[in-house]
């Protein structure tokens, strides 16, 4: 049952997360309702169909949101509220704090490398969209969680 729930979470995350990543890439803003609705769908599915996965997913959601919120208060100009709101969805989708932190780590490393390469090449942009990297990192973490078991 848990493998089915993990696959369901991955599909829901891709359905709602991928458009958010594209939107953030184009406009540097996201519609948070996609993230809210995806979080709600995964949370309700966990609560009703796979309750043993609900509590770890809820804890993951809260921890990742707290990490993003604290980061937002420390570095106000560098992390938007859309990124903070999207973190709720990433935490719920990963279903485990360690996997969510792994996805966040991959996203941070990929963002830093992209920014560094762009600066070396002389790109004029000052900000990078973070949600596309967060979608990629969370997806990778979810795939690893499914296949490493």
């Amino acid at each position: 049952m848990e493998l089915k729930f993990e696959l369901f979470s991955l599909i829901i995350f891709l359905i709602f997360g991928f458009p958010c990543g594209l939107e953030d890439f184009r406009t540097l803003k996201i519609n948070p309702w996609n993230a809210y609705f995806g979080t709600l769908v995964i949370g309700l599915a966990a609560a009703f169909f796979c309750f043993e996965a609900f509590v770890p997913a809820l804890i993951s959601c809260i921890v990742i949101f707290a990490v993003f919120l604290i980061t937002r208060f420390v570095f106000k100009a560098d992390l938007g509220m859309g990124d903070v709101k999207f973190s709720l969805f990433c935490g719920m989708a990963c279903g485990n704090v360690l996997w969510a932190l792994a996805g966040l780590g991959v996203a941070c490393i990929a963002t830093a490398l992209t920014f560094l390469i762009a600066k070396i090449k002389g790109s004029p942009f000052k900000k990078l969209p973070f949600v596309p990297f967060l979608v990629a990192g969370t997806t990778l973490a979810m795939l690893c969680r499914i296949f490493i078991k």
Side-chain angles (χ1 to χ4, degrees):
M1 182 69 159
E2 193 171 324
L3 178 62
K4 288 181 184 177
F5 175 71
E6 289 171 358
L7 290 172
F8 173 79
S9 296
L10 177 63
I11 291 167
I12 294 298
F13 183 77
L14 291 174
I15 288 171
F16 291 104
F18 191 72
C20 286
L22 287 176
E23 184 180 6
D24 191 34
F25 186 74
R26 284 182 294 175
T27 65
L28 292 177
K29 294 186 185 304
I30 68 162
N31 179 359
W33 291 103
N34 285 341
Y36 295 153
F37 190 69
T39 303
L40 184 66
V41 168
I42 293 173
L44 288 175
F48 288 109
F49 301 113
C50 189
F51 191 75
E52 63 271 6
F54 178 69
V55 174
L58 186 62
I59 292 170
S60 173
C61 183
I62 292 168
V63 168
I64 294 300
F65 180 73
V67 167
F68 270 74
L69 198 59
I70 291 168
T71 305
R72 165 73 176 158
F73 287 133
V74 173
F75 305 105
K76 287 186 182 188
D78 295 332
L79 190 66
M81 278 307 293
D83 301 326
V84 175
K85 293 171 186 173
F86 192 77
S87 71
L88 284 167
F89 188 30
C90 294
M92 184 64 77
C94 279
N96 183 313
V97 175
L98 295 176
W99 287 112
L101 289 174
L104 175 59
V106 169
C108 289
I109 291 169
T111 304
L113 288 174
T114 303
F115 191 75
L116 183 65
I117 290 169
K119 284 298 175 186
I120 289 172
K121 289 188 172 188
S123 178
F125 68 84
K126 297 192 187 298
K127 287 190 173 187
L128 275 178
F130 189 56
V131 172
F133 296 102
L134 201 52
V135 169
T138 303
T139 302
L140 183 63
M142 292 173 77
L143 287 170
C144 287
R145 181 177 183 199
I146 290 169
F147 290 114
I148 287 180
K149 280 187 172 182

